[in-house]
Amino acid sequence: MLESFESPPKDPSPAPVVLSEQVRAALVNYLSQLDGISVTDIYTLVMSEVERPLIRTVLEHCCHNQTRAAQLLGLSRSTLRKKMLQHGIE
C-alpha cells in the first residue's frame, strides 16, 4: 500500500516589506554605482525622487481626489497642489 506524501502547508503570509529597508537598499545601490562621481546635496535629490512617486501613487489610489489624497498624505489641499505643480503632476 502506497502512502501519500503531502508537503507541509506553506505560510500564506510572506514577510512584510519594510519601506525603510527598501529605501536603504536603493541608496546603497545608487552610491555604489557612483564610481568616483562627486555628488552633493543628496538629501534634496532623495526627497525629490521619493516625493513625486509618493504623490502620484497616492493620487492614483484616491482616484485623483485631491482632497482625499491630501488627507492621506497629511497635507493641506493647497500644499498638495503646490507640490503637484513643483513636480509637474496634473
Side-chain angles (χ1 to χ4, degrees):
M1 178 173 181
L2 294 173
E3 292 182 31
S4 65
F5 175 75
E6 293 184 24
S7 59
K10 293 183 180 179
D11 183 8
S13 56
V17 175
V18 180
L19 183 58
S20 62
E21 291 174 8
Q22 298 296 314
V23 171
R24 185 179 190 294
L27 284 169
V28 167
N29 183 42
Y30 174 78
L31 293 171
S32 71
Q33 294 180 35
L34 289 178
D35 196 31
I37 299 171
S38 178
V39 176
T40 59
D41 203 10
I42 196 165
Y43 179 84
T44 301
L45 171 68
V46 170
M47 292 301 109
S48 67
E49 288 290 319
V50 170
E51 192 171 53
R52 187 170 194 270
L54 170 64
I55 292 169
R56 289 184 66 193
T57 302
V58 170
L59 281 166
E60 290 168 3
H61 176 76
C62 294
C63 300
H64 296 275
N65 181 320
Q66 293 177 13
T67 301
R68 179 68 190 123
Q71 290 171 341
L72 191 62
L73 290 164
L75 302 173
S76 69
R77 188 176 176 281
S78 62
T79 299
L80 175 60
R81 286 287 308 146
K82 178 181 145 190
K83 290 181 176 294
M84 289 172 64
L85 289 172
Q86 287 174 344
H87 293 291
I89 301 170
E90 294 184 25

